[in-house]
Amino acid sequence: MIDQLLMTSDQWLPLVFAGLMALSILIYVILDGYDLGVGILFMRANDAERDRMIASIGPFWDANETWLVMAVGLLLVAFPKAHGMVLSALYLPVFVMLLGLILRGVAFDFRAKVKQHRKATWCFLFWLGSLLAALAQGFMLGLYLLGLEVTTVSLAFACLCALCIAAGYAFIGANWLILKTDGALQRRSVRWARFGLGFVMVGLLAISLASPLASERIFERWFSMPQFILLAPLPLLSLALLATLWVTLRRLPASRDRFSWVPFAATCCLFVLAFIGLAYSFYPYVVPDKLTLYEAASSPESLMIILVGALFVLPAIIGYTVFAYYVFRGKATDLRYD
């Protein structure tokens, strides 16, 4: 019985871990995406508004980054060959991302503790760290989509993805502020979101066109029959969400704060659809057109042991994340450190 289980586990265990890793990345992109976005918008607000912006993400930002640690950890232990290949190719942007995360983490606390004449410096560093982390993540996505090849075309596309991801984070950050704030800051956040919607549309279009053009395999997966018909709901739902965002943002802020949750919820759904499309495009590869899940996976015996640990760790992370968002639900209050 055990032998039979191990014979089949080399097929389903890599899929399970790929799913766990994908879930971790998706949750990270949404949750840390909005607080990076708030940081990117930081320098466009006055001092009082910055305090309210910090208060809106303060209880969550540390927990949000846990999902990045979870994703990288799963990549290391479950797909060690892919881990080495991906991080070797993306060493410099990974360094820039970590530098940005360190900068914003230090600035987050220091800006509240230093004297008033030094506060502007730490606000700038918080903005800079948020922007660097977002740009680095977009640059890594662009190189990954084109198979980690370093050419003039891939570098140009990676730079485009960097700008689009930063704009996407700023967009979801603005929508988070619409949900969590009121008054003048909420009205300003609506204007930020209206402006950012165009960049999000350009980013989605660029990535959607580049992926099938970069790979004949991806082109065939999307445009051959009957896949073309079966996959049609993904772009159609994305267009419906973009239309919903366009209409809602032009009606906000509404009286009694109605519908302030719609832009953030619609943006989260848009991110999920885009992620599903990317996952479908690259399956079964963990490194596009170079290394499959099954080639990169650890032995079934190792994966089985790791899976037992993941079944304890993952519910714990989900549990305290849900608990934190429940406890700090509602509008962000004034920032206090006493």
Side-chain angles (χ1 to χ4, degrees):
M1 182 66 179
I2 296 177
D3 291 340
Q4 291 178 349
L5 180 62
L6 291 177
M7 286 177 63
T8 57
S9 63
D10 63 349
Q11 297 296 319
W12 63 266
L13 274 173
L15 283 176
V16 169
F17 276 93
L20 292 175
M21 189 172 68
L23 177 65
S24 300
I25 294 172
L26 175 59
I27 295 176
Y28 171 78
V29 167
I30 291 174
L31 297 188
D32 208 41
Y34 79 70
D35 70 55
L36 285 171
V38 170
I40 292 170
L41 297 170
F42 210 58
M43 298 304 291
R44 299 185 64 85
N46 60 43
D47 196 55
E49 289 173 338
R50 290 172 189 167
D51 284 344
R52 181 61 65 87
M53 292 165 76
I54 287 289
S56 74
I57 64 174
F60 314 113
W61 73 281
D62 267 337
N64 293 344
E65 291 181 354
T66 304
W67 292 101
L68 177 62
V69 177
M70 182 77 174
V72 175
L74 287 172
L75 178 64
L76 172 62
V77 299
F79 306 104
K81 293 181 182 178
H83 179 273
M85 188 178 294
V86 170
L87 292 189
S88 295
L90 302 177
Y91 181 84
L92 184 58
V94 167
F95 171 79
V96 173
M97 180 187 72
L98 293 177
L99 177 63
L101 293 177
I102 292 170
L103 270 178
R104 73 190 302 268
V106 173
F108 189 94
D109 291 320
F110 271 56
R111 67 173 296 279
K113 302 296 183 181
V114 297
K115 295 181 180 179
Q116 187 64 33
H117 69 280
R118 295 180 179 176
K119 190 174 181 180
T121 300
W122 290 105
C123 288
F124 172 78
L125 291 175
F126 182 74
W127 167 82
L128 180 62
S130 302
L131 183 62
L132 284 176
L135 290 172
Q137 290 176 20
F139 189 86
M140 287 188 284
L141 174 63
L143 282 184
Y144 179 83
L145 289 175
L146 297 187
L148 302 178
E149 298 289 341
V150 180
T151 64
T152 302
V153 173
S154 66
L155 290 175
F157 179 69
C159 290
L160 175 63
C161 286
L163 294 174
C164 292
I165 290 296
Y169 282 174
F171 180 68
I172 195 173
N175 290 328
W176 172 258
L177 292 173
I178 293 171
L179 173 65
K180 296 292 288 185
T181 64
D182 50 22
L185 180 54
Q186 186 186 55
R187 291 191 293 273
R188 182 172 291 188
S189 299
V190 170
R191 293 195 294 271
W192 291 337
R194 290 172 183 170
F195 181 76
L197 182 58
F199 289 95
V200 171
M201 295 172 67
V202 170
L204 288 173
L205 181 63
I207 294 174
S208 299
L209 291 177
S211 297
L213 292 177
S215 171
E216 292 184 8
R217 180 184 57 83
I218 295 175
F219 186 91
E220 291 177 1
R221 297 201 75 181
W222 279 90
F223 295 103
S224 59
M225 292 293 182
Q227 290 94 322
F228 182 78
I229 302 298
L230 296 175
L231 293 170
L234 285 179
L236 292 177
L237 285 173
S238 298
L239 289 174
L241 288 169
L242 289 170
T244 300
L245 284 164
W246 190 86
V247 171
T248 305
L249 289 172
R250 273 148 186 77
R251 294 185 177 181
L252 288 174
S255 60
R256 299 181 183 178
D257 204 44
R258 292 180 298 175
F259 310 117
S260 63
W261 59 273
V262 174
F264 184 73
T267 306
C268 290
C269 293
L270 194 63
F271 278 31
V272 171
L273 290 177
F275 192 85
I276 291 173
L278 287 174
Y280 173 78
S281 296
F282 291 104
Y283 176 81
Y285 289 93
V286 66
V287 178
D289 296 319
K290 292 182 178 179
L291 194 64
T292 68
L293 297 172
Y294 308 103
E295 294 168 342
S298 298
S299 67
E301 295 84 357
S302 299
L303 291 179
M304 190 67 75
I305 295 172
I306 299 167
L307 180 61
V308 174
L311 292 177
F312 286 95
V313 173
L314 190 62
I317 297 175
I318 293 174
Y320 73 65
T321 300
V322 172
F323 180 73
Y325 279 86
Y326 174 77
V327 170
F328 295 100
R329 65 193 182 277
K331 298 295 182 181
T333 56
D334 291 335
L335 186 65
R336 296 173 62 92
Y337 287 90
D338 53 350

